[in-house]
């Protein structure tokens, strides 16, 4: 999924954070009916605490997760649901993968190193890149860094009970999907990385450090080893990535770089295909277990969708992710409006408003989810009204040049 940058821009308000009492009570009440007693772990101390921040700055520790981590919240009896869906996944999910021989590869879009015209092709690429503004490159680098943290995302999928790859080469349909999905996604970071290297516009060593820090930090999207939560999360993220890469494609075209537009558009097309697969899984869960699935959806939205690159760090800027996200919001590559639009799309895609036969708890979750998109938009409008004046910050990715955030 190329689990994309800021699924909800960091400066934007969102209702019901996971640390709030309202979220905790709702989450715990839903688990009382649908989840077994979960294991809970405290993650590392939050780097946002000022004293700890200063300490970390001195020792150059990257940021870590700072919330209470919950594991194995799905009741054991639900494992049978995913086992029973093996054949269905074979017929309905694996079809959204492409054979390797029919897939595009990064080299299809880049200068051919074996050709006599290689240097001339690189020169042409660099000339086109000169016309693209620095703030666009901030977003493109952030997208690439997020794509390159793919090992973390495969690890996340393999934490999900009932669908993980138990051996590393399991023949279950779920395991085959995860490995092949990862293989397809791997091309995205490869292509953007090589393009940026050849462009000459960015500091590749700083970018490489950012990638290493991000993979080392990992992420906890609060999916609790629960495939209900996990597939809702991936459905949301794949659509977010589709939107983001689509917008970078459009803007590359506006800046006159048709090859870069083709690159970003091709990646967006992959994300759309993967989105179709993940949303289809959740659609099937709504068919089999509408009550449990709508409760899971409400739970994820109350906790909010954790951004996959929110622990982004370059060894210098502890606010790197927030600054990157602010640039993406300003350029309208990915915005709070997109977040609300994605939720509204999924509510329609899964026909949430039409669900019947729900428990009282399920109906409350249904009402909450259906009413959330307009609520998010209202909160964002208020946040924009209170927004501070823009300022400039240096980005190490661009050799320390300052960018408006």
């Amino acid at each position: 999924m190329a689990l994309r940058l800021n699924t909800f821009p960091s400066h934007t308000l969102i209702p019901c954070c996971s640390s709030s009492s309202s979220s905790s009570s709702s989450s715990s009440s839903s688990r009382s009916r649908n989840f077994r007693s979960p294991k809970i772990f405290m993650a590392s101390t939050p780097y946002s605490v000022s004293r700890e921040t200063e300490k970390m700055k001195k020792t150059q520790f990257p940021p870590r997760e700072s919330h209470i981590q919950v594991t194995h919240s799905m009741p054991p009896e639900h494992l049978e649901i995913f086992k029973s869906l093996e054949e269905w996944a074979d017929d309905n999910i694996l079809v959204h993968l492409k054979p390797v021989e029919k897939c595009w590869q990064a080299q299809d879009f880049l200068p051919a190193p074996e050709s006599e015209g290689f240097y001339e092709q690189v020169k042409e690429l660099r000339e086109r890149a000169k016309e693209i503004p620095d703030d666009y490159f901030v977003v493109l680098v952030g997208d690439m860094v997020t794509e390159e943290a793919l090992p973390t995302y495969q690890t996340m999928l393999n934490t999900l009970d009932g669908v993980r790859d138990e051996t590393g080469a399991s023949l279950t349909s779920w395991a085959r999907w995860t490995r092949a999905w990862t293989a397809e996604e791997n091309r995205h970071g490869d292509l953007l990385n090589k393009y940026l290297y050849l462009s000459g516009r960015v500091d590749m060593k700083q970018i490489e450090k950012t990638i290493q820090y991000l993979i080392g930090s990992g992420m906890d999207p609060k999916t609790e080893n629960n495939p209900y939560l996990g597939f809702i999360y991936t459905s949301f993220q794949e659509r977010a990535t589709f939107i983001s890469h689509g917008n970078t494609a459009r803007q590359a075209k506006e800046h006159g770089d048709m090859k870069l537009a083709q690159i970003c558009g091709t990646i967006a097309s992959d994300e759309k295909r993967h989105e179709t697969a993940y949303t289809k899984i959740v659609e099937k869960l709504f068919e089999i277990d509408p009550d449990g699935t709508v409760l899971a959806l409400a739970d994820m939205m109350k906790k909010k969708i954790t951004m996959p690159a929110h622990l982004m760090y370059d060894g210098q800027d502890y606010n790197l992710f927030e600054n990157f996200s602010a640039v993406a919001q300003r350029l309208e590559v990915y915005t709070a409006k997109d977040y609300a639009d994605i939720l509204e799309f999924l509510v329609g895609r899964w026909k949430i408003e039409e669900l019947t036969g729900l428990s009282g708890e399920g109906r409350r979750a249904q009402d909450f989810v259906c009413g959330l998109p307009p609520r998010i938009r209202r909160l964002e409008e208020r946040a924009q009204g209170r927004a501070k004046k823009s300022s400039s910050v240096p980005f190490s990715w661009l050799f320390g040049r300052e960018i408006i955030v």
Side-chain angles (χ1 to χ4, degrees):
M1 55 198 135
L3 290 146
R4 154 68 203 155
L5 51 100
N6 192 4
T7 311
F8 206 155
S10 56
H11 65 275
T12 305
L13 296 173
I14 181 168
C16 299
C17 166
S18 62
S19 60
S20 69
S21 59
S22 60
S23 173
S24 298
S25 61
S26 174
S27 179
S28 61
S29 63
S30 67
R31 289 194 186 97
S32 67
R33 247 180 39 82
N34 292 276
F35 301 150
R36 64 185 176 188
S37 298
K39 296 180 181 177
I40 300 176
F41 300 92
M42 177 63 76
S44 302
T45 305
Y47 75 91
S48 58
V49 178
S50 58
R51 186 177 300 174
E52 291 302 311
T53 300
E54 290 304 315
K55 181 180 178 182
M56 287 183 177
K57 284 181 179 177
K58 291 177 182 178
T59 54
Q60 292 297 295
F61 289 161
R64 296 284 188 243
E65 295 285 13
S66 60
H67 58 271
I68 294 176
Q69 297 182 329
V70 180
T71 61
H72 304 290
S73 63
M74 186 176 74
E77 58 269 22
H78 284 197
L79 291 173
E80 282 302 314
I81 291 177
F82 293 93
K83 186 175 181 181
S84 71
L85 288 175
E86 283 279 351
E87 187 175 342
W88 175 87
D90 243 345
D91 296 336
N92 293 275
I93 301 305
L94 298 186
V95 295
H96 294 290
L97 298 166
K98 285 188 176 181
V100 173
E101 295 301 326
K102 293 185 178 180
C103 281
W104 60 266
Q105 300 298 331
Q107 195 52 52
D108 296 334
F109 303 90
L110 299 168
E114 74 281 4
S115 72
E116 291 183 2
F118 174 69
Y119 294 108
E120 187 62 33
Q121 293 170 33
V122 172
K123 183 179 178 181
E124 291 173 1
L125 184 154
R126 292 165 74 97
E127 287 297 320
R128 293 193 303 269
K130 284 181 181 179
E131 302 302 316
I132 301 176
D134 278 348
D135 50 8
Y136 177 92
F137 273 101
V138 167
V139 176
L140 193 65
V141 169
D143 281 357
M144 182 271 276
V145 168
T146 306
E147 295 279 359
E148 289 282 52
L150 182 62
T152 297
Y153 315 142
Q154 183 177 21
T155 298
M156 187 278 284
L157 287 173
N158 279 329
T159 68
L160 301 179
D161 295 333
V163 297
R164 69 171 59 89
D165 186 345
E166 296 284 358
T167 68
S170 170
L171 297 181
T172 68
S173 54
W174 301 116
R176 284 153 53 209
W177 164 263
T178 295
R179 292 196 303 271
W181 169 86
T182 303
E184 289 193 353
E185 289 281 340
N186 187 60
R187 300 166 303 145
H188 301 172
D190 281 354
L191 177 52
L192 292 175
N193 194 319
K194 290 173 182 176
Y195 168 84
L196 288 164
Y197 171 81
L198 292 173
S199 76
R201 290 289 304 277
V202 298
D203 187 332
M204 287 304 300
K205 184 170 183 178
Q206 283 300 123
I207 292 170
E208 289 160 356
K209 285 168 60 178
T210 306
I211 295 167
Q212 185 173 352
Y213 273 122
L214 183 58
I215 295 174
S217 292
M219 74 165 187
D220 174 16
K222 304 175 186 176
T223 50
E224 305 173 5
N225 308 100
N226 185 330
Y228 282 73
L229 303 177
F231 290 136
I232 288 167
Y233 179 83
T234 52
S235 296
F236 202 107
Q237 285 290 2
E238 290 288 11
R239 186 157 185 85
T241 313
F242 161 67
I243 291 170
S244 173
H245 286 301
N247 284 330
T248 55
R250 174 179 54 79
Q251 293 190 19
K253 184 177 180 180
E254 292 171 357
H255 293 307
D257 192 334
M258 301 306 294
K259 180 58 71 173
L260 179 56
Q262 183 186 19
I263 286 171
C264 296
T266 300
I267 293 173
S269 179
D270 269 6
E271 306 296 3
K272 180 63 177 174
R273 180 162 47 85
H274 295 161
E275 173 208 320
T276 300
Y278 284 118
T279 56
K280 191 181 287 188
I281 294 171
V282 178
E283 181 181 42
K284 189 66 174 178
L285 291 176
F286 270 113
E287 178 187 321
I288 295 171
D289 180 16
D291 212 59
T293 309
V294 76
L295 286 168
L297 178 58
D299 184 40
M300 281 305 298
M301 298 314 302
K302 287 176 182 178
K303 292 183 294 193
K304 77 180 179 180
I305 301 293
T306 303
M307 287 63 79
H310 70 284
L311 298 180
M312 189 182 283
Y313 178 59
D314 59 355
Q316 300 177 21
D317 184 3
Y318 277 91
N319 296 314
L320 180 58
F321 178 75
E322 286 74 14
N323 292 331
F324 154 57
S325 299
V327 177
Q329 169 90 5
R330 179 171 61 80
L331 295 187
E332 297 185 349
V333 169
Y334 188 80
T335 69
K337 179 182 180 299
D338 293 319
Y339 185 98
D341 288 348
I342 291 169
L343 178 55
E344 193 167 63
F345 170 83
L346 293 175
V347 166
R349 170 75 173 78
W350 294 326
K351 298 181 173 61
I352 307 298
E353 293 183 343
E354 300 174 21
L355 294 176
T356 59
L358 299 175
S359 65
E361 202 172 11
R363 288 194 299 275
R364 288 190 291 275
Q366 180 185 38
D367 291 342
F368 169 77
V369 170
C370 292
L372 194 53
R375 186 180 176 193
I376 291 171
R377 292 190 180 101
R378 288 194 300 272
L379 289 169
E380 171 59 10
E381 288 172 4
R382 294 173 194 167
Q384 289 295 336
R386 296 191 300 268
K388 298 178 181 178
K389 290 183 179 180
S390 59
S391 58
S392 297
V393 298
F395 278 85
S396 68
W397 302 338
L398 300 180
F399 305 96
R401 292 195 293 275
E402 293 200 347
I403 305 296
I404 296 174
V405 296

